[in-house]
């Protein structure tokens, strides 16, 4: 059974760079799109972007200038970097597995709360 | 981006009630729609994909319908475990978007 384990810094100051990593356990790394989705406290879900096993990426246009998603296939890991964070980036960040580019999501990490505060 | 609008935002219901949640897309998404259930402090759980295909293990009291721009999620007989938030998600465009959510509360 596939599991996603994620980690990263939970408290950032404004203008810093958010960095999260997700490791895939128990399943294939290829053939899927590895995705980041976030949820501000008490609010809805926002898709951040995705990457496939060959490194092809797609990003949310509203975040594209600040987002980088990368992967390390040897470690079965993918990572998110979001630069120049503000309080508006405070959210629970989920790593997620999708079947293809722009898909539905049936495997989710537990989520990491990232708080941006001075 | 394709905008997804859910209604109502909050719904109060009793155990045994039939519950319907609506999701509207700003343009046609064919049947490229998924529904999720989310409980407090947990990740969303996929219930339905391709508008009406129930995921394995999801109780049959959940059903989805619709195509084009209007979709519904129906819970035929609300159970105590169903009090949660529900989200729709379109995946016609690779720039994925979600509805704003519907919280199903105990009446």
């Amino acid at each position: 059974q596939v599991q996603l384990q994620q980690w990263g810094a939970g408290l950032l100051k404004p203008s810093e760079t958010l960095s999260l990593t997700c490791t895939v356990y128990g399943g294939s790394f290829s053939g899927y799109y590895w995705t980041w989705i976030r949820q501000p406290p008490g609010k809805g879900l926002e898709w951040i972007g995705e990457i496939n096993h060959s490194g092809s990426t797609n990003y949310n246009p509203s975040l594209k200038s600040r987002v980088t998603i990368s992967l390390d296939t040897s470690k079965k890991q993918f990572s998110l970097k979001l630069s120049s964070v503000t309080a508006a980036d405070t959210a629970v960040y989920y790593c997620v597995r999708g079947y293809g580019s722009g898909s539905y999501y049936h495997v989710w990490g537990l989520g990491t709360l990232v708080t941006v505060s001075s | 981006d394709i905008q997804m609008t859910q209604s109502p935002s909050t719904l109060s219901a009793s155990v045994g009630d039939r519950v319907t949640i609506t999701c509207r897309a700003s343009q046609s998404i064919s049947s490229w729609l998924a529904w999720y259930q989310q409980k407090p402090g947990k990740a969303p759980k996929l219930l339905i994909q391709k508008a009406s295909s129930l995921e394995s293990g999801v109780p049959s009291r959940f059903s989805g319908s619709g195509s084009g721009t209007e979709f519904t999620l129906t819970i035929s007989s609300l159970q105590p475990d169903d009090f949660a938030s529900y989200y729709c998600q379109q995946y016609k465009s690779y720039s994925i978007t979600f509805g704003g959510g519907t919280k199903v509360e105990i009446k």
Side-chain angles (χ1 to χ4, degrees):
Chain A
Q1 185 173 349
V2 177
Q3 291 188 338
L4 305 181
Q5 183 172 322
Q6 57 183 104
W7 72 92
L11 181 61
L12 296 173
K13 290 181 167 47
S15 80
E16 292 184 334
T17 295
L18 179 156
S19 182
L20 297 173
T21 298
C22 186
T23 301
V24 180
Y25 292 100
S28 172
F29 199 63
S30 61
Y32 296 98
Y33 271 73
W34 303 98
T35 303
W36 292 94
I37 291 170
R38 70 180 183 179
Q39 185 173 35
K43 296 187 178 180
L45 298 158
E46 181 178 34
W47 183 82
I48 299 171
E50 64 185 9
I51 189 168
N52 71 0
H53 67 279
S54 58
S56 176
T57 55
N58 292 306
Y59 298 131
N60 186 325
S62 69
L63 298 170
K64 188 173 184 176
S65 63
R66 298 194 292 131
V67 172
T68 302
I69 297 176
S70 59
L71 77 167
D72 184 335
T73 54
S74 66
K75 296 180 180 178
K76 294 178 73 175
Q77 291 178 345
F78 62 107
S79 298
L80 167 70
K81 290 191 186 301
L82 180 67
S83 64
S84 304
V85 297
T86 69
D89 295 310
T90 293
V92 175
Y93 287 75
Y94 293 101
C95 59
V96 188
R97 188 181 84 171
Y99 277 115
S101 178
S103 179
Y104 53 89
Y105 305 107
H106 65 340
V107 181
W108 295 66
L110 296 180
T112 299
L113 174 60
V114 178
T115 302
V116 180
S117 174
S118 56
Chain B
D1 280 3
I2 299 175
Q3 307 302 317
M4 306 301 293
T5 303
Q6 271 183 252
S7 60
S9 55
T10 306
L11 187 160
S12 296
S14 302
V15 173
D17 284 353
R18 181 181 181 88
V19 166
T20 299
I21 298 168
T22 297
C23 181
R24 289 187 174 87
S26 61
Q27 64 188 75
S28 177
I29 57 170
S30 185
S31 295
W32 304 117
L33 185 101
W35 288 99
Y36 299 85
Q37 177 192 68
Q38 186 179 33
K39 295 183 178 179
K42 301 293 187 183
K45 173 188 173 184
L46 179 66
L47 299 176
I48 287 168
Q49 44 92 5
K50 210 170 181 185
S52 60
S53 295
L54 201 65
E55 280 294 286
S56 175
V58 175
S60 59
R61 62 181 179 273
F62 290 91
S63 64
S65 64
S67 66
T69 61
E70 187 148 340
F71 303 84
T72 58
L73 172 70
T74 299
I75 309 172
S76 60
S77 178
L78 198 65
Q79 298 302 300
D81 191 49
D82 302 338
F83 291 97
S85 294
Y86 293 85
Y87 293 92
C88 61
Q89 174 225 325
Q90 67 79 19
Y91 53 103
K92 174 161 191 305
S93 159
Y94 77 81
S95 187
I96 301 296
T97 47
F98 293 86
T102 296
K103 186 175 182 180
V104 178
E105 298 180 330
I106 300 173
K107 191 172 185 178

